[in-house]
Amino acid sequence: MADTNRTRRQRSEQPRQRGKVDVDWLGRDLRGTWGDRRLAARKKVADPRFQRIDDLTVADHRQRAFEQLQLLADDGAVLAAFPKRLGGDDDHGGNIAGFEELVLADPSLQIKSGVQYGLFGAAVLHLGTEHHHDTFLPPIMRFEVPGAFAMTETGHGSDVASIGTTATYDERAEEFVIHTPFRGAWKDYLGNAALHGKDAVVFAKLITKGVDHGVHAFYVPLRDADGAFLPGIGGEDDGYKGGLNGIDNGRLHFTDVRVPRTNLLNRYGDVAPDGTYSSPIDSPGRRFFTMIGTLVQGRVSLDGAATIAQQAALAIAIRYGAERRQFNASSDTHEEVLLDYRRHQRRLFTRLAKAYAQTYAHERLLVQFDGVFSGRTDTPEEREDLETLAAGLKALSTWQALDTLQEAREACGGAGFLGANRLVQLRADLDIYVTFEGDNTVLLQLVGKRLLGDFAKQFKGVSKADIARFAADQFFDRATSLVGLRALSQDVRDLRNVKKSSVALRDADVQRDLLEDRVETMVADIAGRLRHAPKEQEMAAAAFNAEQHQLIEAARAWVELQQYEALAAAVERAPEATKQVLTHLRDLFALTIIEEHAAWHLEQGRISGTRSQAVTSTIERLLVKLRPHALDLVAAFGLGDEHLRAHIATGAEASRQAEAQAHYDRLRAAGELPTPEKRAKGTNPDAQPIAVAGAAPVPPSAFTDSAPSAPSASDAADAEEGATLASR
């Protein structure tokens, strides 16, 4: 009996492999265009000098991050994006690729570096002109002048256009007077503001000759050589935070602080000595968005860092799940590996598919970013596309990072809660990623507005007859869906057979059609409702406000489509064996997204009831197909023990389990294993009716142990089905 159970258990653990992952090829493909930059950054991540020490005080953590950043500056690792004539490499994509890897060392170091070089220094680079580059950038690059990026205010975060700080030009002195007129206009949450910042780029409304020309950036000294605030400047320490406590976030306020006229970063707007304002961009709105758009790299880098954090979390959880054993579901002598439980697979593999899709989507974003900022593809249209994609990907990847880190933590039980295994601290540090560089909800509104704008452009210059035909086609398509004709045609093709439905759902064209259709339908619906909205401002705003939820959902659907397309493209270029495994991963990503929005697809008549059922059953089959490749798929991330620094991901758990099993095997072989009470009595007084053979009752220890919850009878049924499928 024991031998039979052991054979069954081994078959469950090792379903028949179809396809084999070429880990080396996949690793190179995942690292993308700037793989060398990533590998160089990972060498630094592996250096203990750059790694986080968890039990530091806030003060000590701040000092350590400061010293670490000086080390990065000394070896030039953070200077890649700056001009070659000043000591950089003019490598914008490579700079971001290396920067985002620092999240593995310490997110505080990564973000402090981002404040110094990606915000403060980048503002001087992209908003200033040659005078500012030559004057201010060299000491910034050498980290001789730590700086703050003073945009956000206590009263205004994402709505930068409405900030209260003013910069009023004084013609007689040829100076700008920087002033915060009320408490809500204090600059807030600024890295380097509480302690280390010597200078700042301050965003304020430029006023000259009584005209407000909107938000512009000014270079403003903050502290003297002894670290004391200069006259007219004050501030506060933001204090302890929920994460990133290696960064000295703080507040700043200005009372009639004067700076020279030439401290205006004047690439997009300038003031002559006599106070005359000029700009190469006539439209105030377009000028504002152009200036803000030059700082898009913050969103690009957060998308990448959030994706890398997911890779790390999944590598830790899947390595651990492949070793940790719990409960005798199918054997009297061997406990089950956690990763063989179907629920455990679903909680991790679906998120693994999303991490892959986000990794490949980020690579596309990074290539587009580099094209624009290098000047190769720098057009207004490309910049608008870049801003839209960066906003959408940053929103979904940072939200998904929190979800994945939390699920990975729970999947590792009590071990996941220990600081030594990093998951809890990573989640705390990444929490703020969903808020800074643009609140995620606001960013998706930006994406949604772009989708509406693109929809409206289709009809620019189109005749009324063409519009009428379009409306008729839309009406016919909608009517076909709502009366069930589309679903009926699916049932006819599938013969209401779940297996045939599953085959259809694994077709890339079907997946793409469902994902595209959701975007197009939602955008058209919103546009149709807004077309009849009143023109009067207040009523028009109310009408748009009523559509915000649907607009954000449409934006989310569009971003999911971009992620799918990126993963699908990776499938097509993969070597044959790896392609098969990546196809399963692509299918899992697509069907997970479709399942999450199943209610919409059913309500809209886009899928039949049979196909809706097949979505879930197909996901279950895909989990079985991916189980043998799980360790290879996370190995391709290229994260070694020195990068993860999580004890449970080092193989220590496998050694512990082997030791325990060897102990019981010795006792069993020697005949010294005590007989369980229920066997000694010849009966089982605790037995409960269980419908599925091989499912063990939950032991009392399951309610006190910190390990993941016990498998249910359905888990055992899933394991049974998985073994059956694998043996076919």
Side-chain angles (χ1 to χ4, degrees):
M1 179 67 177
D3 288 341
T4 301
N5 284 339
R6 179 174 297 185
T7 301
R8 214 165 97 200
R9 176 183 58 79
Q10 290 172 340
R11 206 158 51 205
S12 175
E13 287 178 14
Q14 299 176 350
R16 187 176 63 185
Q17 293 193 27
R18 299 186 65 189
K20 182 175 175 59
V21 176
D22 183 338
V23 175
D24 290 339
W25 177 89
L26 188 54
R28 290 192 300 273
D29 201 53
L30 286 166
R31 289 192 295 273
T33 306
W34 293 275
D36 290 344
R37 291 279 189 186
R38 293 190 183 280
L39 292 176
R42 289 182 188 180
K43 286 184 179 179
K44 289 183 173 57
V45 170
D47 186 337
R49 294 180 302 164
F50 296 105
Q51 294 170 1
R52 176 190 173 90
I53 298 175
D54 286 337
D55 56 356
L56 294 177
T57 65
V58 171
D60 288 343
H61 196 181
R62 287 177 171 183
Q63 182 60 29
R64 181 172 175 81
F66 180 86
E67 293 169 357
Q68 288 171 329
L69 187 50
Q70 185 64 66
L71 290 174
L72 288 177
D74 290 345
D75 75 1
V78 286
L79 306 179
F82 290 98
K84 286 185 177 180
R85 68 183 184 84
L86 296 177
D89 285 333
D90 283 319
D91 184 1
H92 300 276
N95 177 65
I96 297 294
F99 164 77
E100 59 200 20
E101 296 285 341
L102 294 177
V103 73
L104 296 170
D106 183 353
S108 284
L109 171 60
Q110 185 210 20
I111 299 304
K112 193 172 184 71
S113 172
V115 169
Q116 177 70 13
Y117 297 107
L119 293 176
F120 175 55
V124 175
L125 175 63
H126 296 300
L127 299 179
T129 48
E130 188 171 345
H131 160 72
H132 305 110
H133 299 167
D134 293 341
T135 305
F136 300 130
L137 280 182
I140 290 173
M141 293 167 65
R142 294 190 296 267
F143 199 45
E144 293 170 1
V145 177
F149 182 79
M151 176 185 282
T152 299
E153 296 182 353
T154 305
H156 285 94
S158 297
D159 185 8
V160 178
S162 298
I163 60 176
T165 302
T166 58
T168 306
Y169 185 63
D170 179 350
E171 297 176 25
R172 291 170 297 181
E174 294 190 19
E175 293 175 332
F176 284 100
V177 182
I178 313 293
H179 187 64
T180 45
F182 47 83
R183 178 60 182 81
W186 282 28
K187 300 297 181 179
D188 212 342
Y189 318 115
L190 315 178
N192 285 340
L195 186 63
H196 297 143
K198 293 183 178 179
D199 296 350
V201 170
V202 178
F203 288 79
K205 289 184 175 178
L206 190 159
I207 301 170
T208 181
K209 296 184 179 296
V211 177
D212 179 354
H213 292 279
V215 176
H216 289 65
F218 301 82
Y219 193 91
V220 181
L222 297 178
R223 291 180 168 92
D224 61 22
D226 297 323
F229 280 125
L230 296 172
I233 300 175
E236 296 176 350
D237 193 322
D238 278 329
Y240 179 81
K241 309 181 295 293
L244 298 180
N245 279 298
I247 304 172
D248 55 322
N249 293 94
R251 308 178 183 96
L252 297 174
H253 58 85
F254 305 88
T255 303
D256 297 328
V257 175
R258 290 178 172 267
V259 297
R261 178 183 65 87
T262 53
N263 277 29
L264 165 65
L265 301 181
N266 61 344
R267 180 177 179 182
Y268 296 106
D270 199 7
V271 173
D274 67 356
T276 302
Y277 180 83
S278 62
S279 171
I281 304 174
D282 291 334
S283 167
R286 193 160 69 86
R287 184 190 313 133
F288 169 75
F289 285 110
T290 300
M291 285 192 289
I292 298 301
T294 61
L295 305 172
V296 71
Q297 63 189 32
R299 292 171 186 171
V300 175
S301 62
L302 290 187
D303 173 53
T307 299
I308 290 169
Q310 291 175 63
Q311 293 178 2
L314 289 162
I316 292 168
I318 288 175
R319 285 189 189 182
Y320 181 66
E323 297 176 358
R324 177 76 156 99
R325 294 179 178 274
Q326 190 84 326
F327 305 113
N328 301 85
S330 61
S331 169
D332 293 332
T333 59
H334 288 73
E335 293 177 292
E336 304 299 314
V337 175
L338 288 183
L339 209 56
D340 284 343
Y341 288 116
R342 191 69 58 77
R343 179 60 185 171
H344 209 75
Q345 294 169 0
R346 180 179 263 266
R347 71 198 305 192
L348 294 178
F349 293 178
T350 53
R351 289 167 173 84
L352 179 63
K354 288 186 176 182
Y356 262 77
Q358 288 169 2
T359 300
Y360 282 120
H362 176 70
E363 169 67 10
R364 286 187 165 190
L365 173 64
L366 202 53
V367 169
Q368 188 172 10
F369 167 80
D370 185 72
V372 169
F373 276 71
S374 68
R376 294 191 309 274
T377 59
D378 189 6
T379 65
E381 294 77 15
E382 279 291 320
R383 280 189 176 264
E384 188 176 10
D385 289 346
L386 171 63
E387 291 161 18
T388 302
L389 187 59
L393 289 178
K394 182 266 182 185
L396 263 63
S397 65
T398 53
W399 269 329
Q400 187 60 36
L402 296 188
D403 172 81
T404 297
L405 285 162
Q406 181 63 24
E407 197 68 31
R409 203 292 295 159
E410 293 181 32
C412 294
F417 197 64
L418 299 179
N421 294 319
R422 297 194 70 198
L423 295 171
V424 176
Q425 190 57 58
L426 267 176
R427 193 198 182 285
D429 284 336
L430 264 71
D431 198 344
I432 193 60
Y433 282 43
V434 307
T435 299
F436 65 16
E437 295 297 330
D439 175 86
N440 284 356
T441 298
V442 175
L443 292 182
L444 287 184
Q445 288 183 58
L446 183 155
V447 174
K449 289 179 180 179
R450 171 68 189 278
L451 295 177
L452 285 175
D454 286 352
F455 182 83
K457 287 178 183 177
Q458 298 178 68
F459 306 105
K460 190 173 183 179
V462 176
S463 68
K464 290 184 178 180
D466 288 336
I467 293 176
R469 279 192 291 272
F470 173 83
D473 290 342
Q474 288 288 101
F475 176 79
F476 176 79
D477 188 58
R478 174 59 56 83
T480 299
S481 296
L482 293 182
V483 300
L485 292 179
R486 179 181 291 197
L488 177 61
S489 69
Q490 292 176 7
D491 281 341
V492 170
R493 287 194 297 272
D494 300 344
L495 298 176
R496 289 188 177 274
N497 183 298
V498 173
K499 184 175 181 180
K500 289 186 176 181
S501 295
S502 178
V503 171
L505 288 166
R506 291 199 296 268
D507 182 89
D509 290 337
V510 171
Q511 295 167 2
R512 186 175 287 104
D513 285 346
L514 285 170
L515 296 174
E516 286 180 345
D517 182 67
R518 185 163 187 263
V519 178
E520 293 169 358
T521 300
M522 294 181 78
V523 172
D525 283 351
I526 297 167
R529 290 191 293 270
L530 290 177
R531 187 164 59 91
H532 303 291
K535 302 300 182 186
E536 191 271 325
Q537 182 178 0
E538 184 175 351
M539 297 183 70
F544 188 82
N545 190 43
E547 298 294 335
Q548 277 198 348
H549 173 70
Q550 293 301 320
L551 187 69
I552 288 170
E553 286 303 301
R556 182 191 295 271
W558 180 81
V559 179
E560 289 167 346
L561 175 61
Q562 309 314 305
Q563 293 172 339
Y564 174 82
E565 295 286 13
L567 180 54
V571 171
E572 293 306 311
R573 64 175 175 264
E576 194 56 40
T578 302
K579 179 181 292 188
Q580 195 166 27
V581 178
L582 281 183
T583 298
H584 296 329
L585 206 64
R586 180 206 67 195
D587 294 347
L588 181 59
F589 174 78
L591 296 184
T592 298
I593 298 301
I594 293 167
E595 185 183 54
E596 289 172 354
H597 306 304
W600 185 91
H601 291 290
L602 285 166
E603 289 168 358
Q604 301 294 322
R606 263 43 184 182
I607 59 175
S608 67
T610 302
R611 282 202 178 177
S612 181
Q613 293 174 339
V615 168
T616 298
S617 62
T618 305
I619 287 174
E620 297 298 313
R621 292 187 182 93
L622 289 168
L623 298 176
V624 176
K625 292 176 183 294
L626 287 169
R627 169 63 180 94
H629 309 290
L631 289 173
D632 282 345
L633 288 170
V634 295
F637 292 149
L639 304 178
D641 293 349
E642 68 277 17
H643 304 124
L644 299 177
R645 303 192 303 285
H647 182 68
I648 55 175
T650 61
E653 180 63 24
S655 298
R656 189 181 71 80
Q657 293 286 345
E659 179 189 22
Q661 187 62 49
H663 168 76
Y664 289 114
D665 285 345
R666 282 194 301 272
L667 292 180
R668 192 176 293 107
E672 298 174 357
L673 192 67
T675 302
E677 179 184 355
K678 58 186 178 183
R679 285 190 183 175
K681 291 180 178 180
T683 61
N684 183 1
D686 300 323
Q688 299 292 328
I690 296 178
V692 180
V698 179
S701 62
F703 299 100
T704 57
D705 192 4
S706 61
S709 59
S712 66
S714 62
D715 288 323
D718 286 343
E720 188 77 22
E721 178 193 352
T724 303
L725 285 171
S727 65
R728 288 178 181 173

